[in-house]
Amino acid sequence: VDLSQPLTGYLLALGNTLAGNLLLIGSVANIIVAQRAADSGVTISFGAFARYGIPTTVVSYLFLLSWIHVFLLYGRHDGSHL
């Protein structure tokens, strides 16, 4: 992975964020929180997380696509993109 390009870092962060929002196993932090919750007697099931995670990820992705569309149409005027 070539991290000398800023876009690469942005895409890695975006992928990590969307995966973490999508499913319980999408992020190590999610697993840690689910385990800590279980230790406290609160169960966070895969299905319960997905019930909220999938719609959240879809909305986030649609917002991202809208933002990219606006950025490309009305963004930089010097001819450069991303």
Side-chain angles (χ1 to χ4, degrees), residues 3-67:
L3 293 178
S4 65
Q5 300 294 323
L7 183 58
T8 303
Y10 296 145
L11 291 175
L12 285 171
L14 174 65
N16 187 40
T17 299
L18 290 177
N21 287 343
L22 182 63
L23 297 174
L24 184 61
I25 60 171
S27 167
V28 173
N30 293 350
I31 297 169
I32 292 169
V33 168
Q35 182 60 49
R36 296 286 175 124
D39 292 345
S40 299
V42 177
T43 301
I44 302 174
S45 70
F46 186 85
F49 191 94
R51 190 174 312 121
Y52 294 99
I54 292 172
T56 299
T57 303
V58 169
V59 169
S60 297
Y61 189 70
L62 292 174
F63 178 79
L64 169 70
L65 290 177
S66 300
W67 182 82

